[in-house]
Amino acid sequence: APGAVTYQWLLNGEGIQGATNATLTLNNITEIQSGSYSCRVTATGLLVGTVSNSIALTILSSPPVIVVE
């Protein structure tokens, strides 16, 4: 039977440092974080892990809006 499950989140196929939880939370995101995200899931005792389907995240920057009251 498989043992402990581990997670590694990927951005454009590369591991994201420190992103090893079952969920991925992004804070203070910028355009540089745009890309294709997926997660590699492995379990102790299994020879092969699996990689999730990817999802695209596009960050669009908006110019500042000046509001005059």
Side-chain angles (χ1 to χ4, degrees), residues 1 4 7 12 14 16-17 19 21 24 30 32 36 39 42-43 49 51-52 54-56:
Y7 303 89
N12 299 323
E14 299 293 324
I16 302 171
Q17 184 176 353
N21 293 318
L24 177 66
T30 63
I32 200 166
S36 177
C39 185
T42 56
V51 176
S52 70
S54 61
I55 184 168

Side-chain angles (χ1 to χ4, degrees), residues 5-32:
V5 176
T6 61
Y7 303 89
Q8 176 60 64
W9 285 90
L10 311 169
L11 173 57
N12 299 323
E14 299 293 324
I16 302 171
Q17 184 176 353
T20 57
N21 293 318
T23 59
L24 177 66
T25 302
L26 302 173
N27 296 306
N28 302 316
I29 57 176
T30 63
E31 291 91 351
I32 200 166

Side-chain angles (χ1 to χ4, degrees), residues 25-66:
T25 302
L26 302 173
N27 296 306
N28 302 316
I29 57 176
T30 63
E31 291 91 351
I32 200 166
Q33 291 167 296
S34 292
S36 177
Y37 286 83
S38 57
C39 185
R40 180 182 303 122
V41 182
T42 56
T44 306
L46 293 180
L47 297 177
V48 181
T50 187
V51 176
S52 70
N53 290 333
S54 61
I55 184 168
L57 176 65
T58 303
I59 311 297
L60 303 174
S61 64
S62 300
V65 176
I66 300 172

